[in-house]
Amino acid sequence: MNAPAHNAPGFAGVTYQDALARALDLVPRLRERAPRAEEERVMLPETLADLHRTGLLRVLQPKRWGGMELDYVAYVDFSEMTARGCASTGWNVGNLLIHHWMLALYDERAQQEVWGENPEALIASGIAYPQGSGKRVPGGISLSGRWNFSSGVNVADWNMLACIVRDGDKVVDHRMCLLHKSEYEVVDDWHVLGMRSTGSMTVVAKDVFVPEHRALCMYDARGGDGFPGAKTNPNPVYRVPLSALGAHGIGGSAVGNAQAALDLTIESVQKRSTSYQTLKMRDIQTIQVRVGAAGARIDAARQLLRQNCIEAMEIARANVIADAPTKLRFKRDLAYAAQLATEAVDILHAMAGANGIYDSYPIQRIFRDAHALAGHFSFSTDAQFSAWGLAALGGDIANPTL
């Protein structure tokens, strides 16, 4: 089925390198806007306009809807690049672009409802299944719940809200329900330590009817071509397992944030002398060691995330489904990459000494953002290391969406 004609710009002919150059070009502007965006607690209108103009939110959207339909590693690369300018922007880029990818998994009717009206429409999410309660009703799901951390919800036209469906006390399904913004309430409770301009507010829905075609079964998103949108979106990129790699892009934003800390630290160190000894800081060996240690962590984290996505694409091209230990390894690597990125920022921030507490210090906000984003469950080394370790030791893995 062909996509309908529309007035929004198309990006199907944009190459990977051209798109990456567009992202790199935005970094200085994002960095300049970051303090004001943090104060506003949302993505600024001019930043959103830039992202629409460059097509950077549509790198994983199907070409037939005007997207670039790039390989899955784009999820990491474009989140990381934009986070070099502003971690919150990189985080929102990762979330908003992966939701275009996710919509390609849905029934064609859902794609038509969203993209047929506006292929640039933005979609937020609430991903914690226990926060949503679904009940089967004729023709679909009745959904209620309260989902926090819905990043970018203030600029989104739609929301993908996770729920557990029960029959009595028995869990019978896990769904991701697609709701229009007229069907839920946004609670402005985003007053936080870091990542302030993500606008990750709380969403509330009460007894909303969600038609079957807008309630994607998560068991169909575990890899392979069993998802409803497979006939119209056959590219292997859409066969990548969601639960295993669905957070790698926001991991990329952690790496981009750390890279920004490294870039700004190097720039600062090259200009500075010590306060009491008038030595050039760049000539102090301990400074050199710390810069090297941070750089190694950042490069290792980036390579882990990118290699996971490249391997997942190879598996998808073979049209097979990765086994549970492989999926858990991807999740383990993501958590470790996020830990490495956080460690890199900590190493660099510690170099500042007392100067690091000032708002004016170049990486003070980056330090707060690093620790704020590190709280995401996908980045928990305790949880993800334990899950992979259990699989490696031959234990029973109880995760229906894996």
Side-chain angles (χ1 to χ4, degrees):
M1 180 175 180
N2 293 324
H6 51 74
N7 295 323
F11 300 94
V14 178
T15 68
Y16 206 103
Q17 290 304 316
D18 284 345
L20 208 57
R22 295 179 184 186
L24 180 61
D25 184 60
L26 284 182
V27 170
R29 275 176 273 179
L30 297 177
R31 188 168 292 169
E32 181 183 358
R33 295 169 188 161
R36 182 162 57 91
E38 180 173 60
E39 185 178 344
E40 296 290 334
R41 298 183 298 113
V42 293
M43 184 184 290
L44 296 175
E46 55 265 48
T47 293
L48 186 58
D50 279 339
L51 295 173
H52 279 312
R53 173 182 56 79
T54 56
L56 296 181
L57 300 176
R58 301 173 67 186
V59 297
L60 292 180
Q61 184 186 38
K63 286 184 177 181
R64 66 195 188 88
W65 291 106
M68 298 180 197
E69 201 171 313
L70 302 177
D71 280 358
Y72 198 80
V73 73
Y75 183 28
V76 170
D77 288 347
F78 290 92
S79 303
E80 192 224 318
M81 187 63 71
T82 47
R84 294 185 189 190
C86 169
S88 290
T89 300
W91 182 277
N92 276 349
V93 165
N95 276 283
L96 295 171
L97 73 84
I98 198 62
H99 298 151
H100 275 311
W101 176 89
M102 288 175 62
L103 185 57
L105 308 184
Y106 280 70
D107 186 286
E108 179 68 21
R109 288 170 292 176
Q111 298 174 52
Q112 186 77 32
E113 286 181 43
V114 178
W115 289 330
E117 180 69 24
N118 177 17
E120 291 187 316
L122 301 180
I123 308 166
S125 69
I127 64 171
Y129 295 105
Q131 292 184 335
S133 176
K135 181 174 65 175
R136 283 182 175 162
V137 295
I141 301 287
S142 178
L143 178 69
S144 296
R146 186 182 183 92
W147 299 262
N148 54 3
F149 305 110
S150 187
S151 299
V153 67
N154 60 296
V155 296
D157 300 296
W158 296 80
N159 211 310
M160 293 174 172
L161 300 173
C163 72
I164 295 174
V165 182
R166 290 181 171 86
D167 183 2
D169 293 332
K170 183 181 179 182
V171 174
V172 295
D173 208 346
H174 289 72
R175 295 277 176 146
M176 190 67 76
C177 297
L178 179 65
L179 274 66
H180 186 262
K181 63 183 178 182
S182 62
E183 299 174 300
Y184 55 82
E185 174 191 359
V186 177
V187 180
D188 184 0
D189 56 359
W190 192 241
H191 301 275
V192 290
L193 170 73
M195 302 297 286
R196 291 176 181 170
S197 59
T198 60
S200 301
M201 303 169 193
T202 294
V203 171
V204 180
K206 178 68 174 177
D207 298 327
V208 176
F209 172 71
V210 184
E212 183 70 23
H213 68 271
R214 286 205 267 122
L216 180 67
C217 176
M218 289 293 95
Y219 311 151
D220 293 336
R222 294 180 288 193
D225 58 1
F227 55 95
K231 286 186 178 180
T232 51
N233 300 311
N235 189 317
V237 69
Y238 304 113
R239 301 178 202 154
V240 171
L242 175 60
S243 65
L245 293 113
H248 272 56
I250 58 173
S253 70
V255 176
N257 187 52
Q259 184 66 53
L262 180 62
D263 293 344
L264 290 168
T265 297
I266 290 173
E267 180 181 321
S268 176
V269 166
Q270 287 174 335
K271 297 176 181 177
R272 288 175 58 195
S273 298
T274 61
S275 298
Y276 297 103
Q277 297 174 301
T278 66
L279 293 173
K280 289 184 177 179
M281 291 191 71
R282 70 183 182 188
D283 294 332
I284 300 173
Q285 188 177 38
T286 54
I287 298 294
Q288 299 163 2
V289 169
R290 289 180 180 182
V291 168
R297 284 168 169 80
I298 295 165
D299 287 347
R302 180 183 298 110
Q303 290 305 313
L304 267 178
L305 297 179
R306 297 192 83 253
Q307 187 54 44
N308 280 176
C309 294
I310 291 167
E311 181 182 349
M313 278 298 300
E314 291 173 354
I315 294 171
R317 287 191 179 97
N319 203 18
V320 296
I321 300 175
D323 59 19
T326 299
K327 292 178 180 179
L328 290 171
R329 172 168 56 82
F330 292 152
K331 292 165 74 72
R332 177 205 68 185
D333 289 354
L334 168 62
Y336 188 50
Q339 176 180 297
L340 289 173
T342 306
E343 289 175 358
V345 174
D346 286 351
I347 290 168
L348 297 168
H349 188 263
M351 289 168 51
N355 290 322
I357 67 173
Y358 286 98
D359 285 345
S360 59
Y361 190 71
I363 69 168
Q364 188 257 29
R365 184 188 65 258
I366 290 173
F367 175 80
R368 287 188 289 103
D369 286 345
H371 284 273
L373 67 84
H376 195 283
F377 176 75
S378 296
F379 302 158
S380 168
T381 51
D382 285 347
Q384 306 305 340
F385 285 12
S386 175
W388 183 83
L390 176 63
L393 295 168
D396 183 30
I397 305 163
N399 185 339
T401 66
L402 191 64

